[in-house]
Amino acid sequence: MVEHGIHATQAVVTLDVALPGIIWGWMITLNMWAKSVGTGVILVGAFLLYRHKKEEMPNLRWTMPLISFVFLNIFLLFTLTDLHHPYRMVNIFLHPHWTSAITVGAWMASLFTALITVMLIIGVGEELPGVPFKGCKLTAWGSKNGKLYDKIFPFVVFLAFPVTMYTAIIMAESSARELWQAPAEVMQMIWAALLAGSAGLIFVSGKWSKEARHDLALVLAIATLFSFLMYMGEYFFSFKSSEAEATLAYVHSGGAYNTEFWFGMVLGFVIPFFLAVSNMKSDNKTLLRFAALLALIGLYMAKDVWLKIPQMLPLS
Amino acid sequence: MKLGFLVDLNLCMGCKGCEVACKVENEVPLGSWRLRVKYIDIGTFPDTSRSFTPLRCNHCENAPCERICPVSALHYLENGIVNVDSSRCIGCAGCMMACPYGAIYMDPETNTADKCTYCAHRIESGMMPACVVVCPVQANIFGDVEDDTSHISQYIMEHQGAVQVRKPEKHTNPKHYYVGGGTQTLDPLAQQRLEGYNLFNNITHLKHVGNPNHGVIDRFLEPFEAEEKLDNRSFIDFDNHESEGGH
């Protein structure tokens, strides 16, 4: 029967070279994930400072830049490590090519990290005298320049948006991977930052007021809900091009990364959403921290799948 | 001047002479290719046909690899060639993610991005690219597409309606043309690429990018280490590595 032969009538590659597999792997996933936390705590921290008095969140002044500093350095470390010539990173600053989102992003992220470092020094100098050691000139300088913290903070918040979003522009410039050529990617980055930022701050919110923690749970709930809805929209309804469709069809059919994707969705978005919503009524710190932990794990898995699946498609 | 390339697939007989000439001319390491010829079988027995598709960099006028390169290692030459400066490349692989034609590879010797440059060094000396010279049936036609009297321009005019480029929807304006091609030969989504042993070889994928023996720590230590001795075998890391010749 003809229909039984259709499969065999398709063109079949019978001789070809080995094609590259996954080029951007777990290091890039970790890079994006860590950047979401590093920028997200600033965005969510700014929101909380807008809504509440500083006294309600006594440790925010130093924990916010500390979390951001740690995760931004993880992000920068793995950005560097993923390069085949890490020392040549300096070329981005010596020979910048401004049409590249990688260049623009590297400059912005470096500036952002420098400003966060200043905020951290001031925050630690003011709030934690004697840390890291007595007589530390850096933190002593920080303790005397509290006003500088307040002056640079608005600029840092403003910069956090492009720093968190520029990866979406890199993905848009990666024109070989059509799955990433979606306007939704920019919003995904923002939701990821809000999710990761609220999750990061939840771990240090033990002594905060109930109201402040309520707002953290609210941000986490909204971010997980919208992240989930956007992934679902892209996963099921966003068949824009033949390549994006072929990529998703492979995952739909139970191919590699199908399990990781659904684990990411349920673990990272669905369960934390319900936990966060329930926590808005009853202030359960442990449950909220559990939700934050799940959200961070799930976000990593979701990002990992979205990064890798379009790379499995042969380009030629 | 805008240099372009045209392959007449009706003439190509899949001898792979161009592939070999390219590797020799440009000292392309084993496991990497600037130019490759893919065999595609179409139809069911006994009504089958085999087509051969040489694939190389398309030297796009609007090259995504040039746009994404953070350090301008990929850059345009005045004659339209998209060239690579390996001494500037940082090895971020952004170009590999941007090229819709999969034409860029990470050189395992230098751990920098590399690709077909239309043999820019030969062009500079007034010679033709190595693959053009070696082709026994003159299926490769190379020249200035802005010059109406050039061989390539005349060939394109003679074959109007039958000249194609790969993935025109990407708006990259490739300067690499095909005559006698079709969806089944030029569109990878219209082909089945079943991994595993096929008619001639093991259809597979590389498990690494660049030198497989160049780990994360090595990247940082490289400037402080003596140059390691490499041979072609250093770069082989296929599925059939262990059982080569045994199937």
Side-chain angles (χ1 to χ4, degrees):
Chain A
M1 300 295 280
V2 172
E3 69 264 29
H4 297 136
I6 286 174
H7 195 62
T9 59
Q10 288 178 345
V12 180
V13 177
T14 47
L15 180 63
D16 196 9
V17 304
L19 299 180
I22 305 289
I23 297 165
W24 280 354
W26 67 269
M27 276 195 262
I28 301 292
T29 308
L30 189 59
N31 159 322
M32 291 196 292
W33 177 84
K35 183 158 68 72
S36 294
V37 181
T39 53
V41 290
I42 299 298
L43 296 174
V44 179
F47 169 71
L48 293 175
L49 285 168
Y50 175 73
R51 293 259 301 159
H52 303 276
K53 291 177 181 171
K54 287 177 189 174
E55 294 72 32
E56 289 183 50
M57 303 161 292
N59 61 357
L60 183 67
R61 198 166 168 83
W62 67 272
T63 51
M64 178 179 65
L66 177 67
I67 297 171
S68 181
F69 180 81
V70 169
F71 281 89
L72 284 172
N73 276 285
I74 293 172
F75 150 67
L76 290 173
L77 174 70
F78 282 95
T79 301
L80 206 63
T81 309
D82 192 60
L83 300 180
H84 283 74
H85 284 279
Y87 295 114
R88 290 190 191 175
M89 177 82 177
V90 72
N91 283 350
I92 289 185
F93 302 99
L94 299 178
H95 306 286
H97 186 218
W98 295 109
T99 62
S100 170
I102 299 174
T103 305
V104 178
W107 279 71
M108 286 193 306
S110 302
L111 175 64
F112 186 72
T113 308
L115 293 172
I116 290 292
T117 309
V118 174
M119 283 175 62
L120 177 65
I121 292 167
I122 297 171
V124 170
E126 280 184 338
E127 307 288 331
L128 303 169
V131 175
F133 55 86
K134 278 186 180 178
C136 175
K137 286 182 181 174
L138 212 57
T139 48
W141 172 85
S143 65
K144 292 171 194 164
N145 288 280
K147 283 183 182 173
L148 182 64
Y149 187 108
D150 301 320
K151 276 182 187 170
I152 61 173
F153 187 54
F155 185 65
V156 167
V157 175
F158 174 76
L159 197 57
F161 282 101
V163 171
T164 206
M165 288 189 300
Y166 85 81
T167 311
I169 315 297
I170 295 177
M171 292 172 116
E173 283 191 340
S174 301
S175 45
R177 322 291 162 175
E178 286 189 348
L179 187 68
W180 301 341
Q181 322 282 296
E185 284 297 325
V186 177
M187 284 312 298
Q188 283 284 12
M189 294 289 163
I190 290 287
W191 289 123
L194 294 176
L195 185 153
S198 55
L201 287 176
I202 281 169
F203 290 104
V204 295
S205 65
K207 291 178 181 172
W208 293 8
S209 71
K210 230 182 208 181
E211 291 72 28
R213 219 169 15 253
H214 174 275
D215 275 1
L216 268 181
L218 177 70
V219 175
L220 182 66
I222 292 173
T224 47
L225 177 68
F226 278 86
S227 293
F228 179 69
L229 291 177
M230 291 194 78
Y231 270 111
M232 288 298 101
E234 286 211 63
Y235 190 70
F236 286 115
F237 314 120
S238 174
F239 291 164
K240 302 171 291 293
S241 66
S242 54
E243 281 180 21
E245 184 165 356
T247 304
L248 289 172
Y250 175 71
V251 186
H252 284 177
S253 64
Y257 299 106
N258 180 292
T259 312
E260 188 183 349
F261 178 77
W262 285 111
F263 256 95
M265 290 301 112
V266 176
L267 211 66
F269 303 143
V270 178
I271 297 174
F273 169 73
F274 286 109
L275 288 178
V277 168
S278 72
N279 208 76
M280 283 156 66
K281 288 183 179 174
S282 59
D283 184 33
N284 186 331
K285 292 176 195 174
T286 311
L287 214 56
L288 191 59
R289 281 179 182 155
F290 182 59
L293 183 68
L294 287 184
L296 287 173
I297 295 170
L299 179 68
Y300 180 92
M301 293 169 99
K303 279 186 174 291
D304 192 54
V305 173
W306 221 248
L307 179 79
K308 288 176 179 170
I309 51 175
Q311 297 181 55
M312 298 168 74
L313 211 64
L315 298 172
S316 58
Chain B
M1 179 187 254
K2 188 78 73 183
L3 293 173
F5 218 111
L6 184 143
V7 181
D8 192 335
L9 298 180
N10 296 320
L11 298 176
C12 179
M13 57 183 190
C15 72
K16 288 178 171 276
C18 52
E19 204 177 284
V20 176
C22 172
K23 278 187 90 86
V24 173
E25 176 66 32
N26 297 292
E27 296 180 348
V28 181
L30 206 64
S32 304
W33 296 265
R34 288 186 177 200
L35 159 64
R36 70 184 215 261
V37 181
K38 189 161 75 168
Y39 284 23
I40 301 146
D41 289 6
I42 304 161
T44 47
F45 182 82
D47 299 317
T48 56
S49 66
R50 174 166 297 150
S51 67
F52 314 105
T53 313
L55 299 161
R56 57 167 81 72
C57 170
N58 284 223
H59 293 269
C60 309
E61 199 169 10
N62 181 23
C65 59
E66 189 274 344
R67 189 164 55 245
I68 203 171
C69 180
V71 293
S72 300
L74 285 146
H75 56 275
Y76 296 110
L77 297 182
E78 279 183 7
N79 53 18
I81 289 175
V82 180
N83 202 23
V84 196
D85 180 353
S86 61
S87 66
R88 189 177 281 193
C89 175
I90 63 174
C92 67
C95 50
M96 294 176 77
M97 306 306 284
C99 175
Y101 310 106
I104 304 175
Y105 63 94
M106 194 63 70
D107 188 304
E109 279 182 1
T110 60
N111 282 299
T112 56
D114 215 340
K115 66 173 197 66
C116 160
T117 59
Y118 280 169
C119 284
H121 58 288
R122 289 174 62 93
I123 306 295
E124 210 175 310
S125 313
M127 294 189 282
M128 281 283 179
C131 55
V132 176
V133 175
V134 81
C135 182
V137 292
Q138 297 185 15
N140 289 312
I141 297 155
F142 180 75
D144 184 2
V145 288
E146 284 184 342
D147 177 4
D148 291 344
T149 61
S150 67
H151 185 198
I152 187 168
S153 295
Q154 289 181 350
Y155 210 92
I156 290 170
M157 292 305 287
E158 281 170 21
H159 294 83
Q160 282 186 67
V163 181
Q164 284 180 295
V165 293
R166 287 158 66 201
K167 302 185 183 179
E169 73 279 5
K170 298 278 185 183
H171 304 293
T172 53
N173 299 340
K175 290 288 164 279
H176 190 288
Y177 310 92
Y178 291 92
V179 167
T183 306
Q184 286 174 314
T185 48
L186 298 178
D187 181 1
L189 294 182
Q191 304 153 5
Q192 280 190 304
R193 194 176 192 281
L194 302 170
E195 298 246 324
Y197 285 104
N198 211 301
L199 192 57
F200 295 116
N201 73 336
N202 189 5
I203 302 290
T204 183
H205 61 275
L206 293 166
K207 288 182 175 173
H208 57 85
V209 179
N211 186 347
N213 306 315
H214 195 246
V216 168
I217 306 294
D218 300 317
R219 295 176 188 179
F220 286 93
L221 296 178
E222 192 182 23
F224 311 108
E225 285 177 336
E227 209 166 296
E228 60 181 318
K229 282 184 181 175
L230 297 171
D231 58 28
N232 270 334
R233 197 154 180 83
S234 312
F235 307 128
I236 306 175
D237 188 23
F238 302 136
D239 285 337
N240 59 346
H241 177 56
E242 295 299 326
S243 58
E244 203 171 9
H247 82 102

